[in-house]
PDB file of all heavy atoms in Angstrom:
ATOM      1  N   ASN Z 137      11.364  -9.589  45.038  1.00  0.00           N
ATOM      2  CA  ASN Z 137      11.494  -9.348  46.474  1.00  0.00           C
ATOM      3  C   ASN Z 137      12.364  -8.127  46.777  1.00  0.00           C
ATOM      4  O   ASN Z 137      12.726  -7.890  47.923  1.00  0.00           O
ATOM      5  CB  ASN Z 137      12.001 -10.589  47.204  1.00  0.00           C
ATOM      6  CG  ASN Z 137      13.381 -11.008  46.766  1.00  0.00           C
ATOM      7  OD1 ASN Z 137      14.022 -10.300  45.998  1.00  0.00           O
ATOM      8  ND2 ASN Z 137      13.822 -12.158  47.231  1.00  0.00           N
ATOM      9  N   GLY Z 138      12.706  -7.353  45.744  1.00  0.00           N
ATOM     10  CA  GLY Z 138      13.423  -6.101  45.958  1.00  0.00           C
ATOM     11  C   GLY Z 138      14.931  -6.220  45.999  1.00  0.00           C
ATOM     12  O   GLY Z 138      15.605  -5.240  46.318  1.00  0.00           O
ATOM     13  N   THR Z 139      15.473  -7.363  45.674  1.00  0.00           N
ATOM     14  CA  THR Z 139      16.930  -7.513  45.641  1.00  0.00           C
ATOM     15  C   THR Z 139      17.395  -7.519  44.191  1.00  0.00           C
ATOM     16  O   THR Z 139      16.601  -7.558  43.259  1.00  0.00           O
ATOM     17  CB  THR Z 139      17.361  -8.819  46.329  1.00  0.00           C
ATOM     18  OG1 THR Z 139      16.762  -9.930  45.655  1.00  0.00           O
ATOM     19  CG2 THR Z 139      16.957  -8.829  47.790  1.00  0.00           C
ATOM     20  N   ASN Z 140      18.673  -7.461  44.003  1.00  0.00           N
ATOM     21  CA  ASN Z 140      19.279  -7.507  42.674  1.00  0.00           C
ATOM     22  C   ASN Z 140      18.777  -6.394  41.758  1.00  0.00           C
ATOM     23  O   ASN Z 140      18.381  -6.627  40.624  1.00  0.00           O
ATOM     24  CB  ASN Z 140      19.058  -8.868  42.012  1.00  0.00           C
ATOM     25  CG  ASN Z 140      19.668  -9.986  42.819  1.00  0.00           C
ATOM     26  OD1 ASN Z 140      20.787  -9.844  43.306  1.00  0.00           O
ATOM     27  ND2 ASN Z 140      18.941 -11.060  42.984  1.00  0.00           N
ATOM     28  N   GLU Z 141      18.806  -5.176  42.260  1.00  0.00           N
ATOM     29  CA  GLU Z 141      18.411  -4.034  41.450  1.00  0.00           C
ATOM     30  C   GLU Z 141      19.480  -3.754  40.392  1.00  0.00           C
ATOM     31  O   GLU Z 141      20.668  -3.752  40.686  1.00  0.00           O
ATOM     32  CB  GLU Z 141      18.223  -2.802  42.340  1.00  0.00           C
ATOM     33  CG  GLU Z 141      17.642  -1.615  41.591  1.00  0.00           C
ATOM     34  CD  GLU Z 141      17.337  -0.474  42.522  1.00  0.00           C
ATOM     35  OE1 GLU Z 141      18.255   0.341  42.754  1.00  0.00           O
ATOM     36  OE2 GLU Z 141      16.194  -0.393  43.013  1.00  0.00           O
ATOM     37  N   THR Z 142      19.031  -3.522  39.169  1.00  0.00           N
ATOM     38  CA  THR Z 142      19.942  -3.254  38.056  1.00  0.00           C
ATOM     39  C   THR Z 142      19.492  -2.002  37.336  1.00  0.00           C
ATOM     40  O   THR Z 142      18.318  -1.838  37.033  1.00  0.00           O
ATOM     41  CB  THR Z 142      19.925  -4.444  37.051  1.00  0.00           C
ATOM     42  OG1 THR Z 142      20.273  -5.639  37.734  1.00  0.00           O
ATOM     43  CG2 THR Z 142      20.894  -4.205  35.907  1.00  0.00           C
ATOM     44  N   LYS Z 143      20.440  -1.130  37.062  1.00  0.00           N
ATOM     45  CA  LYS Z 143      20.152   0.071  36.279  1.00  0.00           C
ATOM     46  C   LYS Z 143      20.273  -0.303  34.805  1.00  0.00           C
ATOM     47  O   LYS Z 143      21.317  -0.793  34.358  1.00  0.00           O
ATOM     48  CB  LYS Z 143      21.113   1.198  36.639  1.00  0.00           C
ATOM     49  CG  LYS Z 143      20.745   2.517  36.025  1.00  0.00           C
ATOM     50  CD  LYS Z 143      21.628   3.626  36.590  1.00  0.00           C
ATOM     51  CE  LYS Z 143      21.126   4.980  36.133  1.00  0.00           C
ATOM     52  NZ  LYS Z 143      21.913   6.065  36.756  1.00  0.00           N
ATOM     53  N   LEU Z 144      19.203  -0.072  34.023  1.00  0.00           N
ATOM     54  CA  LEU Z 144      19.176  -0.460  32.621  1.00  0.00           C
ATOM     55  C   LEU Z 144      19.473   0.694  31.671  1.00  0.00           C
ATOM     56  O   LEU Z 144      19.896   0.477  30.542  1.00  0.00           O
ATOM     57  CB  LEU Z 144      17.802  -1.049  32.270  1.00  0.00           C
ATOM     58  CG  LEU Z 144      17.360  -2.253  33.106  1.00  0.00           C
ATOM     59  CD1 LEU Z 144      15.972  -2.675  32.704  1.00  0.00           C
ATOM     60  CD2 LEU Z 144      18.354  -3.393  32.935  1.00  0.00           C
ATOM     61  N   TRP Z 145      19.204   1.903  32.099  1.00  0.00           N
ATOM     62  CA  TRP Z 145      19.433   3.080  31.273  1.00  0.00           C
ATOM     63  C   TRP Z 145      19.715   4.250  32.185  1.00  0.00           C
ATOM     64  O   TRP Z 145      19.162   4.330  33.276  1.00  0.00           O
ATOM     65  CB  TRP Z 145      18.215   3.339  30.386  1.00  0.00           C
ATOM     66  CG  TRP Z 145      18.395   4.402  29.351  1.00  0.00           C
ATOM     67  CD1 TRP Z 145      17.713   5.584  29.295  1.00  0.00           C
ATOM     68  CD2 TRP Z 145      19.257   4.394  28.221  1.00  0.00           C
ATOM     69  NE1 TRP Z 145      18.123   6.311  28.194  1.00  0.00           N
ATOM     70  CE2 TRP Z 145      19.073   5.604  27.507  1.00  0.00           C
ATOM     71  CE3 TRP Z 145      20.206   3.483  27.732  1.00  0.00           C
ATOM     72  CZ2 TRP Z 145      19.782   5.919  26.356  1.00  0.00           C
ATOM     73  CZ3 TRP Z 145      20.899   3.793  26.577  1.00  0.00           C
ATOM     74  CH2 TRP Z 145      20.680   5.005  25.904  1.00  0.00           C
ATOM     75  N   TYR Z 146      20.548   5.148  31.782  1.00  0.00           N
ATOM     76  CA  TYR Z 146      21.065   6.184  32.667  1.00  0.00           C
ATOM     77  C   TYR Z 146      20.279   7.485  32.663  1.00  0.00           C
ATOM     78  O   TYR Z 146      20.587   8.370  33.427  1.00  0.00           O
ATOM     79  CB  TYR Z 146      22.525   6.476  32.338  1.00  0.00           C
ATOM     80  CG  TYR Z 146      22.810   6.645  30.863  1.00  0.00           C
ATOM     81  CD1 TYR Z 146      22.634   7.861  30.234  1.00  0.00           C
ATOM     82  CD2 TYR Z 146      23.242   5.558  30.108  1.00  0.00           C
ATOM     83  CE1 TYR Z 146      22.881   8.001  28.889  1.00  0.00           C
ATOM     84  CE2 TYR Z 146      23.500   5.690  28.759  1.00  0.00           C
ATOM     85  CZ  TYR Z 146      23.327   6.928  28.158  1.00  0.00           C
ATOM     86  OH  TYR Z 146      23.563   7.053  26.824  1.00  0.00           O
ATOM     87  N   ASN Z 147      19.265   7.611  31.826  1.00  0.00           N
ATOM     88  CA  ASN Z 147      18.451   8.824  31.824  1.00  0.00           C
ATOM     89  C   ASN Z 147      17.041   8.519  32.303  1.00  0.00           C
ATOM     90  O   ASN Z 147      16.557   7.405  32.140  1.00  0.00           O
ATOM     91  CB  ASN Z 147      18.353   9.417  30.410  1.00  0.00           C
ATOM     92  CG  ASN Z 147      19.622  10.075  29.975  1.00  0.00           C
ATOM     93  OD1 ASN Z 147      20.353  10.626  30.770  1.00  0.00           O
ATOM     94  ND2 ASN Z 147      19.906  10.008  28.692  1.00  0.00           N
ATOM     95  N   GLU Z 148      16.401   9.541  32.823  1.00  0.00           N
ATOM     96  CA  GLU Z 148      14.982   9.412  33.167  1.00  0.00           C
ATOM     97  C   GLU Z 148      14.200   9.562  31.872  1.00  0.00           C
ATOM     98  O   GLU Z 148      14.258  10.588  31.215  1.00  0.00           O
ATOM     99  CB  GLU Z 148      14.591  10.513  34.146  1.00  0.00           C
ATOM    100  CG  GLU Z 148      13.130  10.537  34.459  1.00  0.00           C
ATOM    101  CD  GLU Z 148      12.738  11.750  35.288  1.00  0.00           C
ATOM    102  OE1 GLU Z 148      13.601  12.572  35.620  1.00  0.00           O
ATOM    103  OE2 GLU Z 148      11.552  11.858  35.569  1.00  0.00           O
ATOM    104  N   GLU Z 149      13.501   8.538  31.472  1.00  0.00           N
ATOM    105  CA  GLU Z 149      12.751   8.565  30.223  1.00  0.00           C
ATOM    106  C   GLU Z 149      11.271   8.688  30.522  1.00  0.00           C
ATOM    107  O   GLU Z 149      10.851   8.629  31.661  1.00  0.00           O
ATOM    108  CB  GLU Z 149      13.050   7.319  29.392  1.00  0.00           C
ATOM    109  CG  GLU Z 149      14.526   7.171  29.050  1.00  0.00           C
ATOM    110  CD  GLU Z 149      15.139   8.335  28.301  1.00  0.00           C
ATOM    111  OE1 GLU Z 149      14.409   9.211  27.794  1.00  0.00           O
ATOM    112  OE2 GLU Z 149      16.373   8.404  28.235  1.00  0.00           O
ATOM    113  N   GLN Z 150      10.465   8.825  29.491  1.00  0.00           N
ATOM    114  CA  GLN Z 150       9.058   9.125  29.703  1.00  0.00           C
ATOM    115  C   GLN Z 150       8.186   7.888  29.842  1.00  0.00           C
ATOM    116  O   GLN Z 150       7.262   7.880  30.617  1.00  0.00           O
ATOM    117  CB  GLN Z 150       8.553   9.992  28.554  1.00  0.00           C
ATOM    118  CG  GLN Z 150       9.233  11.337  28.532  1.00  0.00           C
ATOM    119  CD  GLN Z 150       9.010  12.070  27.236  1.00  0.00           C
ATOM    120  OE1 GLN Z 150       8.811  11.471  26.201  1.00  0.00           O
ATOM    121  NE2 GLN Z 150       9.073  13.383  27.293  1.00  0.00           N
ATOM    122  N   HIS Z 151       8.439   6.855  29.055  1.00  0.00           N
ATOM    123  CA  HIS Z 151       7.576   5.679  29.079  1.00  0.00           C
ATOM    124  C   HIS Z 151       8.394   4.418  28.835  1.00  0.00           C
ATOM    125  O   HIS Z 151       9.409   4.473  28.150  1.00  0.00           O
ATOM    126  CB  HIS Z 151       6.493   5.767  27.994  1.00  0.00           C
ATOM    127  CG  HIS Z 151       5.578   6.919  28.160  1.00  0.00           C
ATOM    128  ND1 HIS Z 151       4.529   6.894  29.039  1.00  0.00           N
ATOM    129  CD2 HIS Z 151       5.554   8.133  27.583  1.00  0.00           C
ATOM    130  CE1 HIS Z 151       3.906   8.056  28.988  1.00  0.00           C
ATOM    131  NE2 HIS Z 151       4.508   8.818  28.118  1.00  0.00           N
ATOM    132  N   ILE Z 152       7.932   3.304  29.397  1.00  0.00           N
ATOM    133  CA  ILE Z 152       8.551   2.015  29.102  1.00  0.00           C
ATOM    134  C   ILE Z 152       7.444   1.028  28.741  1.00  0.00           C
ATOM    135  O   ILE Z 152       6.298   1.167  29.167  1.00  0.00           O
ATOM    136  CB  ILE Z 152       9.396   1.473  30.276  1.00  0.00           C
ATOM    137  CG1 ILE Z 152       8.559   1.323  31.550  1.00  0.00           C
ATOM    138  CG2 ILE Z 152      10.606   2.345  30.514  1.00  0.00           C
ATOM    139  CD1 ILE Z 152       9.316   0.699  32.724  1.00  0.00           C
ATOM    140  N   PHE Z 153       7.827   0.048  27.927  1.00  0.00           N
ATOM    141  CA  PHE Z 153       6.913  -0.998  27.497  1.00  0.00           C
ATOM    142  C   PHE Z 153       7.760  -2.229  27.212  1.00  0.00           C
ATOM    143  O   PHE Z 153       8.843  -2.122  26.642  1.00  0.00           O
ATOM    144  CB  PHE Z 153       6.173  -0.551  26.228  1.00  0.00           C
ATOM    145  CG  PHE Z 153       5.231  -1.585  25.678  1.00  0.00           C
ATOM    146  CD1 PHE Z 153       4.048  -1.881  26.319  1.00  0.00           C
ATOM    147  CD2 PHE Z 153       5.553  -2.263  24.506  1.00  0.00           C
ATOM    148  CE1 PHE Z 153       3.170  -2.825  25.794  1.00  0.00           C
ATOM    149  CE2 PHE Z 153       4.677  -3.206  23.975  1.00  0.00           C
ATOM    150  CZ  PHE Z 153       3.488  -3.488  24.623  1.00  0.00           C
ATOM    151  N   ILE Z 154       7.268  -3.397  27.611  1.00  0.00           N
ATOM    152  CA  ILE Z 154       8.017  -4.635  27.385  1.00  0.00           C
ATOM    153  C   ILE Z 154       7.181  -5.572  26.540  1.00  0.00           C
ATOM    154  O   ILE Z 154       6.009  -5.808  26.824  1.00  0.00           O
ATOM    155  CB  ILE Z 154       8.403  -5.301  28.718  1.00  0.00           C
ATOM    156  CG1 ILE Z 154       9.238  -4.338  29.562  1.00  0.00           C
ATOM    157  CG2 ILE Z 154       9.168  -6.603  28.459  1.00  0.00           C
ATOM    158  CD1 ILE Z 154       9.505  -4.800  30.966  1.00  0.00           C
ATOM    159  N   LYS Z 155       7.814  -6.103  25.495  1.00  0.00           N
ATOM    160  CA  LYS Z 155       7.156  -7.028  24.583  1.00  0.00           C
ATOM    161  C   LYS Z 155       8.218  -7.989  24.057  1.00  0.00           C
ATOM    162  O   LYS Z 155       9.292  -7.563  23.638  1.00  0.00           O
ATOM    163  CB  LYS Z 155       6.514  -6.246  23.439  1.00  0.00           C
ATOM    164  CG  LYS Z 155       5.911  -7.069  22.347  1.00  0.00           C
ATOM    165  CD  LYS Z 155       5.225  -6.167  21.332  1.00  0.00           C
ATOM    166  CE  LYS Z 155       5.786  -6.428  19.963  1.00  0.00           C
ATOM    167  NZ  LYS Z 155       5.096  -5.680  18.922  1.00  0.00           N
ATOM    168  N   ASN Z 156       7.923  -9.285  24.104  1.00  0.00           N
ATOM    169  CA  ASN Z 156       8.822 -10.307  23.567  1.00  0.00           C
ATOM    170  C   ASN Z 156      10.260 -10.163  24.069  1.00  0.00           C
ATOM    171  O   ASN Z 156      11.210 -10.164  23.295  1.00  0.00           O
ATOM    172  CB  ASN Z 156       8.805 -10.292  22.037  1.00  0.00           C
ATOM    173  CG  ASN Z 156       7.444 -10.592  21.475  1.00  0.00           C
ATOM    174  OD1 ASN Z 156       6.647 -11.302  22.081  1.00  0.00           O
ATOM    175  ND2 ASN Z 156       7.148 -10.033  20.319  1.00  0.00           N
ATOM    176  N   ASN Z 157      10.404  -9.990  25.382  1.00  0.00           N
ATOM    177  CA  ASN Z 157      11.688  -9.882  26.052  1.00  0.00           C
ATOM    178  C   ASN Z 157      12.519  -8.670  25.599  1.00  0.00           C
ATOM    179  O   ASN Z 157      13.741  -8.673  25.684  1.00  0.00           O
ATOM    180  CB  ASN Z 157      12.511 -11.172  25.903  1.00  0.00           C
ATOM    181  CG  ASN Z 157      13.416 -11.394  27.095  1.00  0.00           C
ATOM    182  OD1 ASN Z 157      13.042 -11.131  28.238  1.00  0.00           O
ATOM    183  ND2 ASN Z 157      14.625 -11.859  26.844  1.00  0.00           N
ATOM    184  N   THR Z 158      11.837  -7.657  25.108  1.00  0.00           N
ATOM    185  CA  THR Z 158      12.497  -6.425  24.708  1.00  0.00           C
ATOM    186  C   THR Z 158      11.863  -5.264  25.442  1.00  0.00           C
ATOM    187  O   THR Z 158      10.646  -5.131  25.492  1.00  0.00           O
ATOM    188  CB  THR Z 158      12.384  -6.199  23.183  1.00  0.00           C
ATOM    189  OG1 THR Z 158      12.976  -7.312  22.507  1.00  0.00           O
ATOM    190  CG2 THR Z 158      13.074  -4.926  22.756  1.00  0.00           C
ATOM    191  N   LEU Z 159      12.702  -4.424  26.036  1.00  0.00           N
ATOM    192  CA  LEU Z 159      12.270  -3.213  26.711  1.00  0.00           C
ATOM    193  C   LEU Z 159      12.307  -2.068  25.699  1.00  0.00           C
ATOM    194  O   LEU Z 159      13.341  -1.820  25.072  1.00  0.00           O
ATOM    195  CB  LEU Z 159      13.201  -2.890  27.882  1.00  0.00           C
ATOM    196  CG  LEU Z 159      13.008  -1.552  28.586  1.00  0.00           C
ATOM    197  CD1 LEU Z 159      11.706  -1.557  29.378  1.00  0.00           C
ATOM    198  CD2 LEU Z 159      14.177  -1.245  29.500  1.00  0.00           C
ATOM    199  N   TYR Z 160      11.181  -1.407  25.521  1.00  0.00           N
ATOM    200  CA  TYR Z 160      11.094  -0.235  24.656  1.00  0.00           C
ATOM    201  C   TYR Z 160      10.911   0.979  25.549  1.00  0.00           C
ATOM    202  O   TYR Z 160      10.171   0.939  26.518  1.00  0.00           O
ATOM    203  CB  TYR Z 160       9.904  -0.348  23.699  1.00  0.00           C
ATOM    204  CG  TYR Z 160      10.032  -1.495  22.738  1.00  0.00           C
ATOM    205  CD1 TYR Z 160       9.487  -2.737  23.044  1.00  0.00           C
ATOM    206  CD2 TYR Z 160      10.712  -1.348  21.529  1.00  0.00           C
ATOM    207  CE1 TYR Z 160       9.607  -3.805  22.160  1.00  0.00           C
ATOM    208  CE2 TYR Z 160      10.831  -2.410  20.651  1.00  0.00           C
ATOM    209  CZ  TYR Z 160      10.282  -3.631  20.975  1.00  0.00           C
ATOM    210  OH  TYR Z 160      10.409  -4.678  20.100  1.00  0.00           O
ATOM    211  N   PHE Z 161      11.576   2.059  25.202  1.00  0.00           N
ATOM    212  CA  PHE Z 161      11.399   3.287  25.969  1.00  0.00           C
ATOM    213  C   PHE Z 161      11.604   4.491  25.068  1.00  0.00           C
ATOM    214  O   PHE Z 161      12.215   4.397  23.999  1.00  0.00           O
ATOM    215  CB  PHE Z 161      12.309   3.335  27.200  1.00  0.00           C
ATOM    216  CG  PHE Z 161      13.771   3.149  26.947  1.00  0.00           C
ATOM    217  CD1 PHE Z 161      14.620   4.241  26.823  1.00  0.00           C
ATOM    218  CD2 PHE Z 161      14.311   1.878  26.848  1.00  0.00           C
ATOM    219  CE1 PHE Z 161      15.980   4.062  26.613  1.00  0.00           C
ATOM    220  CE2 PHE Z 161      15.670   1.693  26.649  1.00  0.00           C
ATOM    221  CZ  PHE Z 161      16.501   2.784  26.519  1.00  0.00           C
ATOM    222  N   CYS Z 162      11.048   5.611  25.502  1.00  0.00           N
ATOM    223  CA  CYS Z 162      11.059   6.830  24.708  1.00  0.00           C
ATOM    224  C   CYS Z 162      11.726   7.953  25.466  1.00  0.00           C
ATOM    225  O   CYS Z 162      11.552   8.086  26.669  1.00  0.00           O
ATOM    226  CB  CYS Z 162       9.635   7.260  24.381  1.00  0.00           C
ATOM    227  SG  CYS Z 162       8.706   6.067  23.433  1.00  0.00           S
ATOM    228  N   SER Z 163      12.469   8.742  24.728  1.00  0.00           N
ATOM    229  CA  SER Z 163      12.960   9.997  25.264  1.00  0.00           C
ATOM    230  C   SER Z 163      12.159  11.103  24.592  1.00  0.00           C
ATOM    231  O   SER Z 163      11.085  10.842  24.063  1.00  0.00           O
ATOM    232  CB  SER Z 163      14.459  10.139  25.006  1.00  0.00           C
ATOM    233  OG  SER Z 163      14.689  10.346  23.639  1.00  0.00           O
ATOM    234  N   VAL Z 164      12.668  12.279  24.533  1.00  0.00           N
ATOM    235  CA  VAL Z 164      11.913  13.393  23.983  1.00  0.00           C
ATOM    236  C   VAL Z 164      11.441  13.106  22.557  1.00  0.00           C
ATOM    237  O   VAL Z 164      10.284  13.279  22.243  1.00  0.00           O
ATOM    238  CB  VAL Z 164      12.754  14.689  24.026  1.00  0.00           C
ATOM    239  CG1 VAL Z 164      12.066  15.817  23.294  1.00  0.00           C
ATOM    240  CG2 VAL Z 164      13.035  15.062  25.467  1.00  0.00           C
ATOM    241  N   SER Z 165      12.332  12.639  21.690  1.00  0.00           N
ATOM    242  CA  SER Z 165      11.940  12.392  20.303  1.00  0.00           C
ATOM    243  C   SER Z 165      12.444  11.061  19.759  1.00  0.00           C
ATOM    244  O   SER Z 165      12.272  10.771  18.584  1.00  0.00           O
ATOM    245  CB  SER Z 165      12.434  13.531  19.403  1.00  0.00           C
ATOM    246  OG  SER Z 165      13.851  13.555  19.394  1.00  0.00           O
ATOM    247  N   ASP Z 166      13.082  10.248  20.588  1.00  0.00           N
ATOM    248  CA  ASP Z 166      13.674   8.992  20.145  1.00  0.00           C
ATOM    249  C   ASP Z 166      12.994   7.793  20.801  1.00  0.00           C
ATOM    250  O   ASP Z 166      12.531   7.877  21.936  1.00  0.00           O
ATOM    251  CB  ASP Z 166      15.165   8.948  20.489  1.00  0.00           C
ATOM    252  CG  ASP Z 166      15.946  10.074  19.857  1.00  0.00           C
ATOM    253  OD1 ASP Z 166      15.678  10.382  18.685  1.00  0.00           O
ATOM    254  OD2 ASP Z 166      16.803  10.659  20.530  1.00  0.00           O
ATOM    255  N   VAL Z 167      12.981   6.663  20.067  1.00  0.00           N
ATOM    256  CA  VAL Z 167      12.458   5.404  20.576  1.00  0.00           C
ATOM    257  C   VAL Z 167      13.621   4.414  20.625  1.00  0.00           C
ATOM    258  O   VAL Z 167      14.356   4.255  19.637  1.00  0.00           O
ATOM    259  CB  VAL Z 167      11.341   4.852  19.661  1.00  0.00           C
ATOM    260  CG1 VAL Z 167      10.815   3.533  20.211  1.00  0.00           C
ATOM    261  CG2 VAL Z 167      10.212   5.864  19.526  1.00  0.00           C
ATOM    262  N   TYR Z 168      13.791   3.765  21.767  1.00  0.00           N
ATOM    263  CA  TYR Z 168      14.891   2.834  21.983  1.00  0.00           C
ATOM    264  C   TYR Z 168      14.372   1.433  22.281  1.00  0.00           C
ATOM    265  O   TYR Z 168      13.251   1.277  22.759  1.00  0.00           O
ATOM    266  CB  TYR Z 168      15.747   3.282  23.179  1.00  0.00           C
ATOM    267  CG  TYR Z 168      16.409   4.620  22.998  1.00  0.00           C
ATOM    268  CD1 TYR Z 168      15.801   5.782  23.433  1.00  0.00           C
ATOM    269  CD2 TYR Z 168      17.662   4.705  22.397  1.00  0.00           C
ATOM    270  CE1 TYR Z 168      16.422   7.009  23.273  1.00  0.00           C
ATOM    271  CE2 TYR Z 168      18.290   5.932  22.237  1.00  0.00           C
ATOM    272  CZ  TYR Z 168      17.662   7.080  22.676  1.00  0.00           C
ATOM    273  OH  TYR Z 168      18.288   8.288  22.519  1.00  0.00           O
ATOM    274  N   SER Z 169      15.227   0.439  22.046  1.00  0.00           N
ATOM    275  CA  SER Z 169      14.904  -0.939  22.439  1.00  0.00           C
ATOM    276  C   SER Z 169      16.129  -1.581  23.064  1.00  0.00           C
ATOM    277  O   SER Z 169      17.264  -1.349  22.627  1.00  0.00           O
ATOM    278  CB  SER Z 169      14.427  -1.756  21.236  1.00  0.00           C
ATOM    279  OG  SER Z 169      15.487  -1.996  20.342  1.00  0.00           O
ATOM    280  N   LEU Z 170      15.891  -2.381  24.085  1.00  0.00           N
ATOM    281  CA  LEU Z 170      16.955  -3.098  24.781  1.00  0.00           C
ATOM    282  C   LEU Z 170      16.535  -4.545  24.940  1.00  0.00           C
ATOM    283  O   LEU Z 170      15.482  -4.825  25.535  1.00  0.00           O
ATOM    284  CB  LEU Z 170      17.206  -2.463  26.157  1.00  0.00           C
ATOM    285  CG  LEU Z 170      18.206  -3.153  27.072  1.00  0.00           C
ATOM    286  CD1 LEU Z 170      19.604  -3.161  26.448  1.00  0.00           C
ATOM    287  CD2 LEU Z 170      18.239  -2.465  28.433  1.00  0.00           C
ATOM    288  N   ASP Z 171      17.331  -5.464  24.418  1.00  0.00           N
ATOM    289  CA  ASP Z 171      17.078  -6.895  24.553  1.00  0.00           C
ATOM    290  C   ASP Z 171      17.345  -7.297  25.998  1.00  0.00           C
ATOM    291  O   ASP Z 171      18.483  -7.220  26.477  1.00  0.00           O
ATOM    292  CB  ASP Z 171      17.978  -7.679  23.594  1.00  0.00           C
ATOM    293  CG  ASP Z 171      17.793  -9.175  23.671  1.00  0.00           C
ATOM    294  OD1 ASP Z 171      17.028  -9.664  24.541  1.00  0.00           O
ATOM    295  OD2 ASP Z 171      18.419  -9.882  22.859  1.00  0.00           O
ATOM    296  N   LEU Z 172      16.307  -7.711  26.717  1.00  0.00           N
ATOM    297  CA  LEU Z 172      16.456  -8.060  28.135  1.00  0.00           C
ATOM    298  C   LEU Z 172      17.273  -9.327  28.338  1.00  0.00           C
ATOM    299  O   LEU Z 172      17.773  -9.574  29.425  1.00  0.00           O
ATOM    300  CB  LEU Z 172      15.081  -8.173  28.791  1.00  0.00           C
ATOM    301  CG  LEU Z 172      14.315  -6.853  28.846  1.00  0.00           C
ATOM    302  CD1 LEU Z 172      12.915  -7.068  29.402  1.00  0.00           C
ATOM    303  CD2 LEU Z 172      15.077  -5.828  29.667  1.00  0.00           C
ATOM    304  N   GLY Z 173      17.439 -10.124  27.281  1.00  0.00           N
ATOM    305  CA  GLY Z 173      18.305 -11.297  27.359  1.00  0.00           C
ATOM    306  C   GLY Z 173      19.773 -10.936  27.563  1.00  0.00           C
ATOM    307  O   GLY Z 173      20.564 -11.761  28.005  1.00  0.00           O
ATOM    308  N   GLU Z 174      20.128  -9.698  27.241  1.00  0.00           N
ATOM    309  CA  GLU Z 174      21.505  -9.235  27.423  1.00  0.00           C
ATOM    310  C   GLU Z 174      21.787  -8.730  28.833  1.00  0.00           C
ATOM    311  O   GLU Z 174      22.923  -8.434  29.172  1.00  0.00           O
ATOM    312  CB  GLU Z 174      21.816  -8.126  26.411  1.00  0.00           C
ATOM    313  CG  GLU Z 174      21.759  -8.587  24.974  1.00  0.00           C
ATOM    314  CD  GLU Z 174      22.023  -7.461  23.998  1.00  0.00           C
ATOM    315  OE1 GLU Z 174      22.381  -6.345  24.435  1.00  0.00           O
ATOM    316  OE2 GLU Z 174      21.872  -7.698  22.792  1.00  0.00           O
ATOM    317  N   VAL Z 175      20.747  -8.599  29.638  1.00  0.00           N
ATOM    318  CA  VAL Z 175      20.910  -8.068  30.985  1.00  0.00           C
ATOM    319  C   VAL Z 175      21.249  -9.230  31.922  1.00  0.00           C
ATOM    320  O   VAL Z 175      20.452 -10.136  32.122  1.00  0.00           O
ATOM    321  CB  VAL Z 175      19.638  -7.339  31.472  1.00  0.00           C
ATOM    322  CG1 VAL Z 175      19.816  -6.831  32.895  1.00  0.00           C
ATOM    323  CG2 VAL Z 175      19.298  -6.196  30.528  1.00  0.00           C
TER     324      VAL Z 175
END
């Protein structure tokens, strides 16, 4: 409903993908993962 906005990463990245409660995202040459259970 648009409430409780949370910033998960501080840079504008190119792509995001979520699988098994993990957020994956890419920067120029790096691939990152963030466990959404920690948010």
